[in-house]
Amino acid sequence: MPKRINVSDYRNAARRRLPHIVYDFLEGGALDEQTLASNTADLAGSPLQQRIMRDVSGIDLSTSVLGHRLRTPVLIAPMGLLSLFHPQADVHLARAAQAAGTVFVHSAWSGTPLKDVVAAAPGSVWCQAALWADPRLVDQHLERAADAGVDVLVIAGDVSVSSKRERDLHNGFTMRARPSVRGVFNAVRKPRWVSNFLFGPKITFGDQSTEGRPMTIQEMGEFMEADNDRVTWDDVRSIRERWPGKLVVKGIMSPADAQLAIDAGVDGIYISNHGGRQFDAQPSTFSALPAIAETVGDQADILVDSGIRRGSDIVKMRALGATACLIGRPAVYGAVQSGQRGAAAILDILTAELATALAFTGATSLADVGPGTLALNGTLTTAARAASPRLTGSRDHGDERSADTTPEPASVTPQSTPTSTGPCPHQAAPMKDHHDKQRHHAHPDALG
């Protein structure tokens, strides 16, 4: 079997292993998928500046994010219904993150209860919460997070309105329990996935129920259709008053919203366009990052997802002001292939590529990365150089390096390329919605 040596290889393997409509659900975005495309294209179109004759013998990838000391700046983003792709995927991803010295963010729409995921990877799980229309659900989730010992809460800020994902609509794939003939025919050609669907754990929401029992797929769809379009920053302030730990708002795409989040008392700004799955008429997270970083300065940590497929992408995000980056779809590609082992391989690949990219730019730590890390002909370099004091305070590869005194630096050999093979996917039927042709209520979670 050919070796899988990069994210693209794992993506191709996932395409072969999943039914077409399930793979489209993973890969697809909103409307014309322009934002989805720009997330990767803008990163690919902004080169880094190579530096030579620098001592790069001691690469240290460690960083501090919201009070957590991590061995790598690559976290795993919150993603709902991961068990659609692999049984107990949340647990596998959390354990892979823990082994890599990083963090997994548990989705508010996860198929596995938060307490079970935290128990599987203690100290390496953050909790996402939604601002549901029923405030009792919000209160219950905050209590759930506190009881599990979670100390970082991520508010899903960009799901007040549901998106229209046309791949899923064309495929008849919605949360309505009415399998289409085409979908069933396509799925049976993937017997391992069908086996997991029929005989594996039931698809449901791990932390939500109806009358004390797990929700059916149709009930899950109805639950997700209950958009809360009355959400305001007062809701964030209310949670800030009740939540004792670190607080992050996800979905920030403008300096104005970043400032409102700071004013509401958050500790982290999470720049995300939902992997291109929500609002298609907006820029990439990479192009939105410099102006937001300028506004935030050193008032909060900055997290960013969407479009990261290479370790060099993480350097580029860092150069424009990101504290750390999160991956979505790439982690799923790995989990589809072999659960925890596959997800760990993805993290290893990106971490090794990150170390190599740092070395080529003459850096030995993330503290060395700044606007000058981007090449002069990069399309965003002018904006980057005009960015915040937070950015211009970076070393820009001067002769002196800032010493990052982590007690446990990441041990990385540039360009190591782990491989993995193994198990596969999980449960959830192709559904056809005869009632909602224009508005699609797929699970509202990031797959960046």
Side-chain angles (χ1 to χ4, degrees):
M1 180 178 292
K3 294 172 66 176
R4 285 176 286 277
I5 62 173
N6 56 37
V7 169
S8 180
D9 288 344
Y10 277 88
R11 178 191 185 196
N12 291 334
R15 182 191 296 114
R16 293 191 295 269
R17 189 162 291 223
L18 295 173
H20 171 71
I21 59 175
V22 176
Y23 179 76
D24 265 2
F25 175 65
L26 169 63
E27 284 291 281
L31 300 178
D32 296 314
E33 301 186 348
Q34 294 176 349
T35 297
L36 174 66
S38 69
N39 281 333
T40 52
D42 287 356
L43 280 163
S46 190
L48 295 170
Q49 181 65 63
Q50 176 172 294
R51 297 295 301 274
I52 63 172
M53 302 298 180
R54 309 295 293 266
D55 181 355
V56 291
S57 57
I59 300 290
D60 175 12
L61 304 182
S62 63
T63 191
S64 291
V65 185
L66 297 169
H68 286 247
R69 192 65 180 169
L70 307 180
R71 295 204 306 270
T72 174
V74 189
L75 292 71
I76 300 180
M79 295 171 282
L81 294 181
L82 286 172
S83 50
L84 177 63
F85 307 108
H86 190 285
Q88 294 294 309
D90 293 83
V91 168
H92 288 296
L93 293 184
R95 286 175 172 164
Q98 184 183 53
T102 188
V103 164
F104 168 74
V105 185
H106 179 270
S107 168
W109 295 272
S110 170
T112 306
L114 173 63
K115 63 180 179 60
D116 293 350
V117 179
V118 172
S124 297
V125 179
W126 296 349
C127 172
Q128 182 193 49
L131 295 173
W132 291 288
D134 185 345
R136 293 173 298 179
L137 294 177
V138 180
D139 292 341
Q140 290 168 7
H141 207 61
L142 295 184
E143 292 175 9
R144 202 174 281 128
D147 290 345
V150 172
D151 63 353
V152 177
L153 186 72
V154 179
I155 298 176
D158 59 348
V159 292
S160 298
V161 179
S162 295
S163 63
K164 180 184 177 186
R165 299 176 195 164
E166 296 185 357
R167 287 202 211 192
D168 295 343
L169 292 171
H170 283 307
N171 289 331
F173 190 95
T174 75
M175 295 298 293
R176 300 288 186 178
R178 297 179 181 178
S180 66
V181 174
R182 176 186 175 192
V184 171
F185 176 76
N186 180 270
V188 297
R189 298 168 61 191
K190 308 292 182 179
R192 296 181 69 178
W193 184 90
V194 171
S195 175
N196 280 299
F197 172 68
L198 293 176
F199 305 112
K202 181 180 178 180
I203 288 286
T204 189
F205 288 137
D207 288 315
Q208 304 296 337
S209 61
T210 299
E211 299 176 350
R213 60 169 173 76
M215 288 184 179
T216 65
I217 289 179
Q218 183 160 347
E219 288 169 338
M220 292 165 69
E222 293 168 354
F223 178 79
M224 286 160 50
E225 287 175 8
D227 297 330
N228 184 6
D229 55 9
R230 296 180 180 274
V231 170
T232 71
W233 288 102
D234 287 338
D235 296 293
V236 177
R237 280 186 281 272
S238 175
I239 290 179
R240 174 72 286 176
E241 292 172 357
R242 291 175 287 158
W243 177 252
K246 301 292 187 180
L247 185 63
V248 180
V249 171
K250 177 179 177 287
I252 303 291
M253 285 295 292
S254 73
D257 280 343
Q259 186 59 59
L260 288 169
I262 295 295
D263 294 343
V266 306
D267 305 287
I269 299 296
Y270 189 157
I271 300 172
S272 175
N273 59 30
H274 224 93
R277 293 170 70 81
Q278 283 290 90
F279 180 38
D280 193 37
Q282 65 176 318
S284 69
T285 54
F286 182 60
S287 60
L289 174 56
I292 294 174
E294 181 176 11
T295 294
V296 173
D298 60 0
Q299 299 176 86
D301 285 347
I302 296 179
L303 308 174
V304 61
D305 68 19
S306 301
I308 294 165
R309 299 295 182 268
R310 289 287 187 181
S312 55
D313 295 336
I314 300 159
V315 179
K316 296 171 186 180
M317 292 289 200
R318 180 79 181 193
L320 293 187
T323 307
C325 300
L326 295 94
I327 58 170
R329 291 181 180 92
V332 178
Y333 302 151
V336 166
Q337 186 61 33
S338 50
Q340 178 181 342
R341 210 150 38 94
I346 290 292
L347 289 170
D348 287 347
I349 287 169
L350 289 173
T351 299
E353 291 180 355
L354 168 59
T356 300
L358 279 181
F360 272 120
T361 63
T364 58
S365 74
L366 297 172
D368 294 332
V369 177
T373 309
L374 293 172
L376 292 177
N377 63 342
T379 56
L380 295 177
T381 301
T382 300
R385 289 193 179 281
S388 66
R390 165 201 195 96
L391 299 185
T392 54
S394 299
R395 292 286 182 182
D396 282 3
H397 304 327
D399 290 334
E400 295 183 11
R401 302 193 183 283
S402 99
D404 194 349
T405 57
T406 174
E408 188 180 1
S411 177
V412 178
T413 301
Q415 293 303 112
S416 63
T417 51
T419 61
S420 173
T421 59
C424 100
H426 186 47
Q427 187 191 130
M431 308 301 169
K432 184 157 185 165
D433 184 349
H434 297 285
H435 306 292
D436 190 355
K437 299 298 185 185
Q438 295 302 316
R439 198 171 180 221
H440 177 43
H441 297 277
H443 84 77
D445 233 340
L447 285 165

